[in-house]
Amino acid sequence: MRLNWKNAHKKREFPYTHVWEMVKDEPKWAAQVGTQNASKKTKTSDSGAYTSSSHHDQEDNTHEGNESESRPIGQKAAKRKMRGKEKKDVNEPVAEEFDNRWKRLEELQAQKLVVLNQIKNKAKDDTLRADYEIMMKDTSKMSDQQLIIHNHMCSIIKARHDIP
């Protein structure tokens, strides 16, 4: 930076040396220190004639490519970050929430299956108990009509439980 000033203003000293000493190590100004010839044309003589410096451009481009990887954030991005409005990866929280809900759904389905199996087993037990009571019913006091119905129910129960 100071060399650029001296080349452009040969008669005057750089007036902000005290400021430059404070900021020269900041990442924003590191590129200024590394690349002294930032313009495409440079003065080559005292008369003020310019010549093109294509060789310097190639060096500048390679240096700037490396510098852009470690650049500090810009002013607008810094303000958004300060206000809490920085762009966030929306997919990550959504995917995490989806995974949590999917796991919860699987847990609930497993619990539901356990409860349904318990109900099914209880229903089987209740049916078996009711069938046993019908089979063991005292038929001595039944009328002929009741006896016919009872015998028919017993044949259905025997078929259901594979009883000969």
Side-chain angles (χ1 to χ4, degrees):
M1 185 85 169
R2 289 171 48 187
L3 291 175
N4 285 344
W5 176 268
K6 285 183 181 179
N7 288 339
H9 305 90
K10 292 188 182 231
K11 297 184 180 176
R12 290 193 300 165
E13 184 64 29
F14 184 63
Y16 303 108
T17 307
H18 63 285
V19 176
W20 176 248
E21 292 300 323
M22 288 189 276
V23 299
K24 71 179 180 180
D25 296 326
E26 296 289 325
K28 181 175 182 179
W29 301 104
Q32 298 287 334
V33 174
T35 58
Q36 294 298 324
N37 296 324
S39 67
K40 293 190 178 199
K41 294 182 179 181
T42 57
K43 286 187 181 181
T44 57
S45 65
D46 291 333
S47 65
Y50 288 99
T51 59
S52 141
S53 60
S54 60
H55 180 67
H56 293 296
D57 287 87
Q58 291 172 353
E59 290 176 3
D60 289 347
N61 289 342
T62 58
H63 183 70
E64 287 175 7
N66 293 338
E67 190 63 33
S68 66
E69 294 171 0
S70 62
R71 261 177 59 192
I73 61 174
Q75 185 177 14
K76 289 182 180 180
K79 285 182 180 179
R80 276 192 299 256
K81 185 176 181 182
M82 183 180 68
R83 293 182 185 134
K85 293 182 180 178
E86 64 270 3
K87 294 180 181 177
K88 298 176 183 174
D89 186 12
V90 177
N91 294 333
E92 186 176 320
V94 170
E96 187 175 323
E97 179 68 21
F98 178 78
D99 289 341
N100 291 340
R101 288 185 181 203
W102 188 261
K103 287 176 185 175
R104 180 71 179 140
L105 177 67
E106 288 176 340
E107 291 171 3
L108 290 173
Q109 286 178 336
Q111 291 174 357
K112 180 180 175 181
L113 188 61
V114 167
V115 169
L116 288 175
N117 284 335
Q118 290 173 347
I119 291 170
K120 184 178 174 183
N121 290 338
K122 186 173 181 333
K124 280 183 182 180
D125 291 344
D126 290 347
T127 303
L128 190 58
R129 188 173 297 113
D131 289 349
Y132 181 76
E133 287 178 10
I134 291 171
M135 294 284 290
M136 295 300 159
K137 196 83 165 173
D138 183 20
T139 57
S140 62
K141 297 180 183 175
M142 287 186 187
S143 67
D144 290 339
Q145 184 66 26
Q146 288 174 331
L147 194 54
I148 292 170
I149 294 172
H150 176 72
N151 286 336
H152 180 67
M153 290 303 293
C154 286
S155 63
I156 293 173
I157 293 171
K158 287 178 183 179
R160 185 184 309 151
H161 297 291
D162 295 328
I163 299 173

